[in-house]
């Protein structure tokens, strides 16, 4: 079988994705998550917290809600409908840590939860830190030469 034949076979077997509908769902659900975060920030500000603390508390609330919904197996249903709309906000990162922890809890706290919790989020953390260190070094060199 040639590469072209295989490509045609794959194209025939794969269902067509409704791109416009998927993009719209990702947009409005991701926007709803961000709006909910803004509502929490405003609420915490109304309760007397300064802007920086209110932002922190709003982020922590979204993280906790995401972890709770993941533990209750509801976040996956939302993500199946919204696609990338649930991955982009901070809730997606919380889900990527909570989901493996829930999945492997039967293997115990050390080898299950502790060992598997960062299987998805670990590379994001590693490459994010490496990129920030590289950008920091470039910035430092740039400021030294200026």
């Amino acid at each position: 079988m040639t590469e072209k034949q295989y490509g045609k076979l794959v194209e025939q077997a794969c269902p067509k994705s409704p791109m416009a509908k998927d993009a719209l769902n990702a947009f409005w659900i991701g926007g709803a998550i961000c709006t909910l975060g803004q509502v929490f920030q405003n609420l915490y500000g109304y309760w007397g917290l300064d802007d920086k603390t209110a932002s922190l508390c709003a982020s922590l609330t979204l993280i906790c809600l995401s972890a709770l919904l993941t533990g209750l197996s509801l976040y996956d249903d939302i993500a199946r409908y919204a696609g990338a709309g649930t991955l982009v906000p901070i809730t997606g990162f919380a889900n990527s840590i909570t989901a493996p922890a829930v999945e492997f809890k039967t293997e115990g706290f050390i080898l299950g939860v502790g060992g598997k919790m960062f299987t998805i989020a670990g590379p994001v953390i590693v490459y994010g830190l490496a990129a920030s260190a590289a950008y920091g070094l470039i910035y430092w060199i740039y400021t030294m030469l200026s």
Side-chain angles (χ1 to χ4, degrees):
M1 180 179 291
T2 66
E3 247 182 80
K4 281 187 177 183
Q5 290 172 327
Y6 180 73
K8 285 182 183 181
L9 190 64
V10 168
E11 192 175 309
Q12 291 171 353
C14 293
K16 299 290 181 200
S17 176
M19 289 283 241
K21 180 184 167 208
D22 289 348
L24 183 64
N25 287 340
F27 177 78
W28 81 264
I29 291 186
I33 292 170
C34 293
T35 301
L36 182 63
Q38 186 63 51
V39 167
F40 282 127
Q41 183 176 352
N42 292 349
L43 182 65
Y44 291 131
Y46 176 76
W47 287 343
L49 298 178
D50 62 276
D51 287 343
K52 198 172 187 178
T53 307
S55 296
L56 173 68
C57 289
S59 294
L60 290 174
T61 302
L62 288 176
I63 289 168
C64 289
L65 282 174
S66 173
L68 177 67
L69 291 175
T70 299
L72 296 172
S73 297
L74 296 174
Y75 198 88
D76 288 341
D77 295 336
I78 297 168
R80 202 170 293 116
Y81 179 74
T86 58
L87 296 176
V88 176
I90 196 168
T91 55
F93 187 73
N95 173 262
S96 72
I97 292 175
T98 309
V102 170
E103 183 179 346
F104 293 103
K105 70 181 177 185
T106 58
E107 294 181 23
F109 284 113
I110 304 295
L111 297 176
V113 175
K116 305 289 185 179
M117 187 173 0
F118 292 101
T119 55
I120 297 171
V124 174
I125 294 169
V126 168
Y127 289 112
L129 288 173
S132 66
Y135 296 144
L137 181 62
I138 292 168
Y139 178 75
W140 180 74
I141 292 170
Y142 176 75
T143 57
M144 295 302 283
L145 297 175
S146 297

